[in-house]
Amino acid sequence: MDILAPTTILDGLRTRLLGQHIVLYETIGSTNAVAKTLAQQGAAEGTMVIAEGQTAGRGRLGRSWLAPRGTSLLFSLIFRPDLPIRRAQGLTMICGLAIREAIREVTGLPAQLKWPNDVMLRGRKAGGILTEVSSHGEDLDYAVVGIGLNVNLPVNALPAEFRATSISHELGHAVSRVGLLQVALRHVEQRYSALQDGKWPVKDWAAALQTLGQRVELHTEQGIWQGLATAVDAEGALLLRLDSGQLKRVLVGDIVPQGEAKQHR
Ligand code: BTN
């Protein structure tokens, strides 16, 4: 098992901002929760909270995130972008794209994204992103983007119904979490700087989504719909063509490939 230590992460980290200030825990409740507290206390943009293990890892839609200690990358980044709150999904998009690029660069695996923020390897979930924001009025005050990535995780360590996979499972050998993290942070920083320059990432994001063009079942708080995932709009909402022909726009939900049970985590 490779050890996460600030010195090894900083050694060879080619970023100017992201991860230059590291708060590392052996075990913590949730890196997102800590990062939010630090952000409220004025922590600098780019601060990274990272842990070997979490006792209360958070997933989307109130779920928990499970990862045996030492197997994964579990980290949260603090951003203070000059963006309106309705554009916060842009941060999730750039982080998803950057993780995908890092996995491809480091391992050669053809990572994909699944709407809205899953990282997929060969059709199974290998990672997830949870973005939590604080705003004043229409503007973002700060955003915490939490990333959980199954790196060297034996898939039988998670319940089979999660249908999860990991990088080591797909590759057949372990990879350096530190090396992968360094490359991921570099890609996030490049994409963040483009975002700050006004380049909206939705086109790249849509191209990376394995979801588009598939018949899917969409689970939302308002109900379950089936149809063809046709496109995403500028804010990241999914446009679903229902069998009735109606186009449904959904901002928050879960996609389940038709014929499969809903994935939990
Ligand atoms: C999801 O797919 O539901 C999103 C999962 C996000 C998990 C990560 S692990 C690091 C960070 N800290 C948390 O508590 N959650 C995110």
Side-chain angles (χ1 to χ4, degrees):
M1 172 178 127
D2 64 338
I3 306 287
L4 301 175
T7 44
T8 49
I9 296 170
L10 287 169
D11 183 18
L13 180 62
R14 300 201 333 256
T15 62
R16 286 187 332 142
L17 181 71
L18 293 184
Q20 289 299 331
H21 180 57
I22 299 172
V23 181
L24 172 86
Y25 293 91
E26 272 302 303
T27 303
I28 190 71
S30 153
T31 59
N32 262 36
V34 174
K36 282 172 74 177
T37 303
L38 292 177
Q40 270 151 23
Q41 292 168 351
E45 178 165 63
T47 298
M48 176 171 71
V49 181
I50 183 163
E52 287 283 8
Q54 298 183 121
T55 54
R58 297 178 185 168
R60 285 177 62 241
L61 307 175
R63 296 193 196 118
S64 51
W65 183 261
L66 301 180
R69 242 179 57 81
T71 63
S72 301
L73 282 172
L74 307 167
F75 63 103
S76 303
L77 297 166
I78 296 175
F79 293 94
R80 297 186 182 279
D82 190 9
L83 282 178
I85 183 130
R86 65 188 167 78
R87 291 283 185 182
Q89 177 71 3
L91 293 169
T92 312
M93 292 181 198
I94 61 160
C95 289
L97 286 165
I99 295 295
R100 174 176 176 267
E101 286 159 353
I103 294 174
R104 288 175 170 231
E105 183 177 321
V106 172
T107 70
L109 288 170
Q112 295 275 61
L113 302 178
K114 178 175 160 226
W115 184 89
N117 39 12
D118 291 347
V119 179
M120 308 295 287
L121 291 174
R122 300 201 175 110
R124 289 183 174 242
K125 181 160 172 170
I129 299 174
L130 177 65
T131 301
E132 299 186 75
V133 299
S134 166
S135 60
H136 49 269
E138 293 290 288
D139 295 323
L140 267 181
D141 180 16
Y142 66 80
V144 164
V145 182
I147 297 169
L149 192 58
N150 303 341
V151 185
N152 298 322
L153 183 146
V155 285
N156 58 11
L158 295 175
E161 64 268 22
F162 287 3
R163 293 185 39 77
T165 191
S166 68
I167 290 174
S168 62
H169 181 77
E170 299 299 334
L171 269 185
H173 59 83
V175 296
S176 157
R177 288 179 303 159
V178 171
L180 184 59
L181 176 64
Q182 290 169 332
V183 174
L185 291 174
R186 173 163 51 82
H187 282 289
V188 177
E189 184 156 298
Q190 282 164 358
R191 288 201 167 265
Y192 184 54
S193 135
L195 183 70
Q196 292 283 66
D197 288 345
K199 295 195 187 87
W200 189 241
V202 74
K203 228 176 148 183
D204 289 356
W205 188 61
L209 286 176
Q210 65 171 40
T211 316
L212 298 186
Q214 284 185 358
R215 274 196 67 80
V216 297
E217 191 165 286
L218 185 59
H219 293 228
T220 72
E221 291 216 315
Q222 290 71 43
I224 297 177
W225 286 278
Q226 295 177 345
L228 185 69
T230 52
V232 284
D233 70 12
E235 284 174 16
L238 184 72
L239 304 180
L240 187 70
R241 177 73 63 192
L242 303 182
D243 294 338
S244 63
Q246 184 198 341
L247 200 59
K248 183 139 198 80
R249 177 182 189 270
V250 179
L251 207 46
V252 181
D254 261 328
I255 283 215
V256 181
Q258 273 196 357
E260 281 183 18
K262 186 171 176 182
Q263 294 176 41
H264 293 272
R265 180 107 193 208

